[in-house]
Amino acid sequence: MLGSSRRIFIQSVAFGAGVLGAARTALAAPDGHAAGYDVAPASEFQKTIPRKSGDGVVFTASLDKGPIKATSGGWAREITTRGLPLATGIAGAHLFINAGGAREMHWHDSAEWAYVVDGHCQLAVVDPEGEFELVNLGPGDLWYFPKGHGHSIQTLGSAPCHAILAFDDGLYSEHGTFGISDWMSRYDAPVLSQWLGAPAETFASDPKAETYIMQGEVLALDGHQARLAKQLGHEQTHRFPLMSQKPRVSTSGGALYVASSKEFPVSASMTGLVLKLKPGAMHEPHWHTDANEWHYVLKGRTRVTLFAFDKRVAVAELSPGDCAYIPRNCGHSIQNIGADDAEMVGVLDSGLYHESSLSDWLARAPRHLLANNFGISEQAVTHFTPRRTIVAASV
């Protein structure tokens, strides 16, 4: 009985091994064996993989043709992921405050970054520890408010102030903004009286809803209110004079200015950029390893080429008022295609600045490897010797 069972077991194992071996042979043919020791080359191959067909990615929009939110003291326009679905990581806005106008005290559930394009303003900021800063800004300056830091912006001088803003949340908009007039208008006068220790009638004329940007008296650029400013130290201040700094890159083709958290410590989640390009110049093909990019064209005409997900390539031409969103790790380049200088202001949603350049690969990879990659001779590859300039001048 025991011997019979043993014979049945051995026969079963042998049969199973034969079936498995046959299955392996069937599955492996004609390109080798599943064991991997004597794999044969593919019997057919394509010289190259065909380009992906279909529409390119939509990655640009006109910020300055977007909906406007205006009150007595100024206005703002915005572009969020609702208007540009690709832009999930960053939202942008254009803020304009009249002389005498003030954006009321408010805070966000996202960080806010801005570049002052023209005019002057005074920031009032209070952080969660009760630390207060009152600081004056002019053209070329940045501001940055971490999420939850209460802040206001008031124009100084007789000229309006306008700035380009960005937020590290593509859905920013009104869903994550909290304003002082909006909140306080929801309380009854007796509650405000209890809280602030003032007679209830004091609040009778308070606004019944959000004031947003309120018109007021013009504050002199060098007047008493302007002289009250007191800037915090380097590690805490919410202001950074970007255009007073030396550019990170300067060539005959233009310049790139950068303000990361290294230069602007409070800006922990965002890095500011200003790119200037001479006619025909290019910010060479590159990508950002750990950040999305959003930029706005201040002047000139540019062509942006995006090498996006799923082998999609898109090309768009931008004019003043337009913006572009580049998802992290997507390759891109920016060219000035106009007759005049071009200037862009932008932001990355990371406090660190990393830029990987295609030029580095082409210049440093072994010649035999590049010859293999492109299917050409090593002699031909000797012409692939780009030097990383970041901002390349017109040829």
Side-chain angles (χ1 to χ4, degrees):
M1 183 70 174
L2 182 61
S4 175
S5 297
R6 185 177 180 187
R7 283 195 302 273
I8 292 171
F9 173 75
I10 293 172
Q11 289 170 356
S12 298
V13 171
F15 175 76
V19 171
L20 181 59
R24 283 177 171 173
T25 301
L27 290 173
D31 289 338
H33 299 285
Y37 293 108
D38 53 354
V39 176
S43 58
E44 296 180 359
F45 68 93
Q46 297 174 313
K47 184 176 181 179
T48 59
I49 305 299
R51 290 177 175 175
K52 209 77 170 180
S53 59
D55 295 334
V57 176
V58 176
F59 67 100
T60 65
S62 175
L63 172 58
D64 287 354
K65 291 181 181 177
I68 192 168
K69 180 178 179 180
T71 51
S72 64
W75 54 261
R77 299 180 187 271
E78 66 181 25
I79 186 74
T80 71
T81 191
R82 295 182 182 91
L84 184 59
L86 185 68
T88 57
I90 305 174
H94 193 164
L95 177 66
F96 184 96
I97 307 177
N98 300 335
R103 173 70 171 100
E104 66 172 318
M105 186 270 194
H106 64 288
W107 62 99
H108 307 282
D109 191 34
S110 59
E112 175 183 326
W113 172 99
Y115 175 84
V116 179
V117 178
D118 201 11
H120 295 78
C121 62
Q122 186 174 78
L123 308 180
V125 194
V126 61
D127 72 15
E129 301 299 321
E131 190 77 57
F132 186 77
E133 180 173 38
L134 191 68
V135 62
N136 301 335
L137 280 73
D141 288 346
L142 305 180
W143 74 62
Y144 179 88
F145 307 125
K147 63 176 63 177
H149 284 213
H151 57 278
S152 66
I153 305 111
Q154 186 168 18
T155 296
L156 291 176
S158 57
C161 177
H162 73 103
I164 303 301
L165 284 61
F167 305 83
D168 61 357
D169 175 5
L171 279 172
Y172 137 76
S173 193
E174 297 305 305
H175 93 285
T177 298
F178 307 93
I180 187 174
S181 63
D182 190 15
W183 192 14
M184 290 182 63
S185 71
R186 313 300 176 100
Y187 287 105
D188 294 331
V191 177
L192 295 174
S193 176
Q194 177 187 357
W195 166 39
L196 295 171
E201 56 269 22
T202 304
F203 310 103
S205 60
D206 280 4
K208 304 307 178 186
E210 180 186 21
T211 60
Y212 194 56
I213 305 173
M214 182 72 90
Q215 185 61 46
E217 295 182 2
V218 174
L219 303 183
L221 189 58
D222 59 351
H224 167 68
Q225 296 90 341
R227 293 195 295 271
L228 293 174
K230 184 177 180 181
Q231 184 167 327
L232 294 175
H234 176 68
E235 298 295 322
Q236 293 178 283
T237 183
H238 299 80
R239 169 188 178 264
F240 184 76
L242 176 60
M243 300 311 289
S244 297
Q245 311 300 310
K246 181 180 178 181
R248 174 169 293 211
V249 176
S250 182
T251 73
S252 59
L256 174 65
Y257 296 79
V258 175
S260 68
S261 59
K262 180 179 179 181
E263 295 82 16
F264 189 14
V266 76
S267 186
S269 71
M270 304 176 88
T271 291
L273 312 169
V274 171
L275 175 65
K276 296 186 175 186
L277 294 175
K278 297 291 185 182
M282 169 194 289
H283 189 179
E284 64 182 24
H286 65 285
W287 63 97
H288 302 292
T289 56
D290 51 10
N292 302 297
E293 174 183 329
W294 180 91
H295 73 250
Y296 171 92
V297 178
L298 286 171
K299 60 182 181 180
R301 293 178 57 240
T302 66
R303 179 186 293 121
V304 181
T305 301
L306 174 68
F307 182 39
F309 312 111
D310 199 28
K311 299 181 174 65
R312 304 289 188 188
V313 172
V315 180
E317 295 186 4
L318 284 72
S319 298
D322 293 338
C323 62
Y325 181 85
I326 313 295
R328 67 173 53 88
N329 279 310
C330 289
H332 57 287
S333 61
I334 306 170
Q335 298 168 276
N336 180 353
I337 59 172
D340 301 315
D341 289 358
E343 185 173 346
M344 290 129 282
V345 57
V347 67
L348 305 180
D349 59 354
S350 171
L352 302 176
Y353 184 79
H354 296 138
E355 178 176 321
S356 294
S357 172
L358 194 57
S359 295
D360 284 345
W361 177 257
L362 295 176
R364 298 183 181 184
R367 302 297 90 182
H368 60 269
L369 176 59
L370 291 178
N372 176 280
N373 288 173
F374 294 104
I376 59 179
S377 69
E378 286 193 44
Q379 181 61 34
V381 173
T382 59
H383 298 293
F384 287 24
T385 56
R387 183 170 57 88
R388 185 177 185 180
T389 58
I390 300 180
V391 178
S394 175
V395 178

